[in-house]
Amino acid sequence: MEAKDKSLKFLGEKKQLTVPFFQRRYVWKEENWDELLKSFEDSSIKPFLGSIILKEVSGEESLIVDGQQRLTTITILAKAIYDCLPDTCKTPTSGTRSYIENMLFYRVNAVDDFKDSHIRIQHSKIDADDYNTVIKAQVLNDESIDLDTISENSSCILRCYKYYRRELENRGEDALKTLFNCLFDGNRKVIVLITLKHDDVNEQTIFDTINRAGIRLSTADIIKNNLFKNILDKCRPFTDDRKYALEAYEEYWEKTFYSKQEISDLWDRERVFGNVKHNNLEFLLYCVACIKWGEDTDMFSKLETVFDRETASMGFNELINLVKEIKEYADIFKKYILDLEKALEDEQDLYFRYDDKIRGLLLILQKFGIQMFYPYVIMRLKEVNQNESDPQLREDFQILESFVVRRKLSPKGTHDYTSKCYEIIKHKIGALIQSDLGNRDAGLTDADIKRYLSNTKDDTAKMVLFWIELRRRRGDAYDINALEYNYTLEHIMPKKWKTHWSEVPIVDGKTVYDKDSDDGIHYRDSMIQSIGNKTLLKSSLNSAVKNADFMTKIKGIDGRRPGYDQHTALMLTRDLVAKSQTDQNWDEKHISDRTNQLFGEFVQIWPSFADRVQVSAPISDEDPNIDQFTQEQLSDAALLAEIL
């Protein structure tokens, strides 16, 4: 290993500089681009850009172990300066043209024509196309770059180029040349170039160490690096193992997570877990760890350690198979979870049917903000090869859905969902029936649910009513049996009831409260939150109608502010309009009756499965009557024990 202070002219001394596969893509943003530009704008100050670490692979090629973000940005800046210069500075004999050719390109042979040159920095696939486009434009080819086509959705490489072009386009020729000279001034030693020889320490170990110290790698990056380092370390000599390992990286990791900028951005997108954030790729790796290796206290915080520990003893083929398995889970995770999340977020046309058990469960998990059962979900989908018609899969998801919805209604939180997920991964979904759905002490019995439905939160009530509506439309008897989840929740008796509803008696069974009494006010306020007092509308009512008396809410005001009778696309609301034809009142008794009706439909959609609970025979202090057993039973101890 050797270290020397160098100017950026060192680029012209090298041939191919390759960004190795274990490096992450180019991620610098505007604040980084701006800082680099400003560091070279004052010619009286010599900036220091830190160390660049290269490892010699051959006489022709070196790997960029550390510094690819800086080198990429420097070369894009140089190209942007060149492209902003007038054409008179770009003739084949000009000094600027010679510098650009020498710094950004190399010839394999000294006698080669420039048209046969190669780009000096070879990026990994995700960045290669855009970087090559920027560097080649109007130097190795006649194509120009239309800056107007570069948007916030474009790659960081293209956005960096556009940023520098916009910053430099109004500067004069002399200012541009001065900046270019500052960039490549041989007397300005702005970096320390560390060169590792071929037999020096493993380059990925150094890269990992550097980035751990600088906290620049994500957990997912470190797991990936360690995983593939382990694979390369397990390569057998005199075989094609190394070649196969690199091919496996390209096929199962690069294509899955970094094939396009939007794919890479999707996996980099953060998810919130309490007060902690993890990106989608980290969460996927967490799911894989849960499925394969079971419960580990605070798995997220030590995910790197878990992967290192569990993969340390794996052989080459086992590790390759693990990578393949991660890819399979990633495909499922994206298809069923990430794509649904994006469709809901973008408000795409997304329809749900009552018998759509897979997407139905995922909609509920998504809207309720429940993520910790995703490991079980993707595990089961993989086990059945994504056969959504598999009867056992549908039943298992139905049980999980019942648990989630019932638990959402209950006062219990989600603090134990991680351990619940581990439990059903290990012992199958029946464990959830035994421990919760069929357990009287878990607070999820039908009697408990009936009580909870008398005081529902709006987001939960909206989901429950949506699926009750879908259940009413099940089968082919209805023209419309699929609906979007885009309805508004409406309180029939409004929260602001005192203005137009104060003359409606407050009735609790046979008790009629004084409208001004604390007990009466409290009782009415609580009944307003019953699910029987809620319905769904395609759009919100006008505020004057929303808070009006019952029949005004049904008919609207002056035809200009519609009521329920103009929102009868849903059967839930249509029934209310039909009811008003014979009964123009709405009070606590009506709310209670409708709550009971909706409860009956609820338990059909989300049963408790209590009938499946295995009940142990009660222990008796009395000796059994042996006369009830046959001689065969008495002679077989195992059979007798089972009967008892």
Side-chain angles (χ1 to χ4, degrees):
M1 180 178 74
E2 66 177 23
K4 294 183 178 179
D5 56 334
K6 288 274 189 178
S7 73
L8 293 179
K9 285 182 68 175
F10 90 91
L11 284 168
E13 302 166 3
K14 301 291 179 181
K15 284 199 173 181
Q16 181 173 319
L17 299 176
T18 302
V19 179
F21 77 90
F22 54 76
Q23 290 244 28
R24 72 181 311 184
R25 74 186 197 282
Y26 180 74
V27 295
W28 270 22
K29 299 293 173 62
E30 184 172 325
E31 60 268 23
N32 308 113
W33 309 329
D34 183 62
E35 182 181 359
L36 182 75
L37 176 59
K38 286 178 178 176
S39 68
F40 284 97
E41 285 183 314
D42 189 344
S43 59
S44 65
I45 299 174
K46 183 179 76 172
F48 177 63
L49 304 183
S51 61
I52 303 291
I53 303 178
L54 305 179
K55 179 171 181 179
E56 294 180 350
V57 177
S58 67
E60 305 294 318
E61 180 186 10
S62 296
L63 298 180
I64 304 173
V65 176
D66 186 54
Q68 70 118 334
Q69 305 285 332
R70 282 164 289 164
L71 291 178
T72 300
T73 310
I74 287 164
T75 52
I76 292 174
L77 172 58
K79 184 58 166 48
I81 296 171
Y82 176 80
D83 288 346
C84 287
L85 284 166
D87 290 343
T88 54
C89 299
K90 301 175 184 177
T91 59
T93 58
S94 73
T96 309
R97 172 78 183 208
S98 298
Y99 253 97
I100 281 293
E101 291 181 0
N102 189 48
M103 296 297 160
L104 305 188
F105 302 90
Y106 74 94
R107 297 176 174 87
V108 175
N109 303 301
V111 296
D112 289 345
D113 291 335
F114 178 72
K115 64 181 178 62
D116 298 318
S117 295
H118 301 271
I119 294 176
R120 194 173 299 280
I121 296 178
Q122 295 292 315
H123 268 276
S124 55
K125 285 189 176 180
I126 186 172
D127 290 326
D129 289 345
D130 288 337
Y131 182 76
N132 293 350
T133 296
V134 168
I135 302 302
K136 285 182 177 180
Q138 295 188 305
V139 178
L140 264 187
N141 58 42
D142 295 327
E143 298 176 6
S144 59
I145 299 174
D146 183 356
L147 298 182
D148 291 336
T149 64
I150 300 174
S151 68
E152 289 301 310
N153 295 323
S154 300
S155 70
C156 292
I157 288 204
L158 290 176
R159 283 188 282 150
C160 175
Y161 176 73
K162 180 177 181 177
Y163 174 80
Y164 283 141
R165 283 289 305 275
R166 294 300 190 211
E167 286 292 312
L168 302 172
E169 61 187 357
N170 294 322
R171 302 192 186 190
E173 179 181 334
D174 290 342
L176 291 172
K177 286 184 174 180
T178 298
L179 178 60
F180 194 86
N181 289 333
C182 284
L183 201 61
F184 293 112
D185 185 347
N187 296 317
R188 292 162 64 88
K189 313 292 186 182
V190 296
I191 64 165
V192 173
L193 183 64
I194 300 172
T195 305
L196 306 176
K197 302 302 180 183
H198 186 72
D199 55 353
D200 279 340
V201 67
N202 184 289
E203 68 275 6
Q204 198 252 290
T205 303
I206 292 178
F207 176 72
D208 191 28
T209 303
I210 291 168
N211 281 278
R212 281 176 189 267
I215 320 176
R216 286 179 282 169
L217 282 183
S218 69
T219 297
D221 288 325
I222 294 170
I223 290 172
K224 175 201 70 175
N225 291 356
N226 291 344
L227 180 58
F228 281 95
K229 176 185 179 299
N230 198 3
I231 290 173
L232 293 174
D233 288 345
K234 298 288 175 67
C235 290
R236 295 162 297 184
F238 311 113
T239 69
D240 289 333
D241 282 358
R242 184 176 179 85
K243 176 184 175 184
Y244 185 56
L246 297 177
E247 289 174 350
Y249 174 80
E250 296 286 340
E251 182 65 26
Y252 304 123
W253 201 281
E254 183 87 8
K255 287 183 179 180
T256 302
F257 303 116
Y258 308 126
S259 58
K260 298 178 182 177
Q261 185 70 38
E262 57 265 33
I263 294 296
S264 180
D265 290 343
L266 178 66
W267 287 107
D268 268 348
R269 190 171 185 180
E270 289 185 329
R271 310 174 73 88
V272 179
F273 300 85
N275 296 323
V276 181
K277 293 181 180 179
H278 296 279
N279 65 33
N280 281 324
L281 180 49
E282 289 166 358
F283 185 52
L284 169 72
L285 294 172
Y286 164 82
C287 292
V288 173
C290 290
I291 294 166
K292 294 191 65 63
W293 305 311
E295 188 168 6
D296 199 314
T297 306
D298 199 12
M299 175 88 82
F300 258 145
S301 67
K302 53 183 181 181
L303 198 56
E304 303 166 36
T305 304
V306 172
F307 266 85
D308 285 348
R309 181 187 68 221
E310 298 296 338
T311 59
S313 61
M314 289 185 181
F316 178 83
N317 290 328
E318 286 180 287
L319 290 166
I320 292 294
N321 288 334
L322 173 60
V323 173
K324 291 180 181 178
E325 201 169 0
I326 291 172
K327 183 247 190 304
E328 291 178 51
Y329 282 123
D331 290 343
I332 294 171
F333 190 84
K334 180 183 179 300
K335 174 182 176 182
Y336 287 94
I337 296 171
L338 298 185
D339 287 354
L340 177 65
E341 287 178 357
K342 189 173 189 310
L344 290 170
E345 183 180 296
D346 295 346
E347 298 182 349
Q348 298 176 14
D349 294 340
L350 201 61
Y351 289 86
F352 296 88
R353 296 167 56 100
Y354 179 71
D355 60 358
D356 193 352
K357 294 302 179 186
I358 285 76
R359 286 203 315 159
L361 169 63
L362 293 172
L363 173 69
I364 289 168
L365 293 177
Q366 166 68 13
K367 288 299 181 179
F368 286 174
I370 296 169
Q371 307 179 79
M372 303 319 288
F373 284 112
Y374 284 148
Y376 175 78
V377 170
I378 65 173
M379 180 193 77
R380 289 293 291 119
L381 285 165
K382 181 175 179 292
E383 286 176 345
V384 300
N385 296 316
Q386 302 179 50
N387 177 12
E388 297 180 21
S389 300
D390 183 90
Q392 189 59 58
L393 175 75
R394 293 170 63 83
E395 182 176 294
D396 289 353
F397 280 9
Q398 171 69 61
I399 294 169
L400 178 57
E401 188 179 308
S402 283
F403 169 78
V404 167
V405 175
R406 284 173 175 252
R407 186 69 175 268
K408 177 70 173 176
L409 283 166
S410 80
K412 292 189 175 182
T414 61
H415 63 280
D416 59 347
Y417 277 12
T418 300
S419 59
K420 293 290 183 190
C421 185
Y422 286 133
E423 186 179 1
I424 59 177
I425 286 173
K426 184 176 182 180
H427 300 293
K428 298 186 178 181
I429 199 69
L432 211 53
I433 299 175
Q434 199 73 22
S435 63
D436 289 88
L437 285 171
N439 182 354
R440 293 181 181 179
D441 298 327
L444 302 182
T445 66
D446 288 352
D448 294 317
I449 295 302
K450 190 172 185 179
R451 187 171 70 256
Y452 301 149
L453 288 174
S454 296
N455 186 13
T456 56
K457 294 182 179 179
D458 288 353
D459 63 331
T460 311
K462 179 180 175 182
M463 183 63 72
V464 170
L465 291 171
F466 179 72
W467 283 100
I468 287 175
E469 178 73 27
L470 283 179
R471 181 178 182 274
R472 294 183 181 187
R473 295 169 179 271
R474 67 191 184 280
D476 299 324
Y478 296 91
D479 293 336
I480 301 175
N481 56 14
L483 299 172
E484 294 182 90
Y485 188 71
N486 59 358
Y487 295 94
T488 298
L489 189 79
E490 163 72 10
H491 292 77
I492 302 167
M493 181 185 290
K495 293 179 182 179
K496 298 178 180 179
W497 57 269
K498 293 183 180 179
T499 302
H500 297 289
W501 293 71
S502 59
E503 299 306 317
V504 177
I506 304 175
V507 182
D508 180 7
K510 295 182 179 181
T511 302
V512 179
Y513 290 105
D514 185 289
K515 65 179 182 180
D516 296 320
S517 69
D518 290 342
D519 289 343
I521 292 171
H522 175 75
Y523 180 64
R524 173 154 286 181
D525 286 342
S526 66
M527 288 298 289
I528 283 172
Q529 292 302 327
S530 294
I531 199 165
N533 190 52
K534 298 177 180 181
T535 191
L536 299 179
L537 300 177
K538 189 66 177 176
S539 59
S540 295
L541 296 178
N542 178 274
S543 60
V545 178
K546 181 189 291 287
N547 295 313
D549 62 85
F550 181 60
M551 288 309 296
T552 301
K553 296 191 76 166
I554 293 292
K555 295 182 177 298
I557 300 175
D558 300 331
R560 292 179 290 107
R561 287 169 283 188
Y564 290 174
D565 60 1
Q566 298 297 310
H567 290 80
T568 55
L570 295 183
M571 299 173 70
L572 285 164
T573 311
R574 193 183 312 160
D575 287 351
L576 290 170
V577 173
K579 176 231 170 270
S580 71
Q581 305 303 311
T582 56
D583 185 353
Q584 298 186 358
N585 298 309
W586 188 262
D587 58 20
E588 285 76 14
K589 183 180 184 306
H590 292 86
I591 294 172
S592 180
D593 289 345
R594 188 164 178 267
T595 297
N596 289 335
Q597 175 196 351
L598 295 174
F599 164 73
E601 296 179 79
F602 179 100
V603 295
Q604 295 298 313
I605 302 171
W606 299 292
S608 70
F609 298 95
D611 57 325
R612 301 193 188 184
V613 175
Q614 298 177 2
V615 181
S616 301
I619 299 174
S620 174
D621 294 333
E622 298 180 4
D623 292 332
N625 179 7
I626 63 173
D627 293 337
Q628 64 182 303
F629 305 114
T630 66
Q631 191 62 40
E632 179 184 3
Q633 291 170 335
L634 290 171
S635 63
D636 188 335
L639 178 60
L640 186 60
E642 182 179 349
I643 295 171
L644 289 172

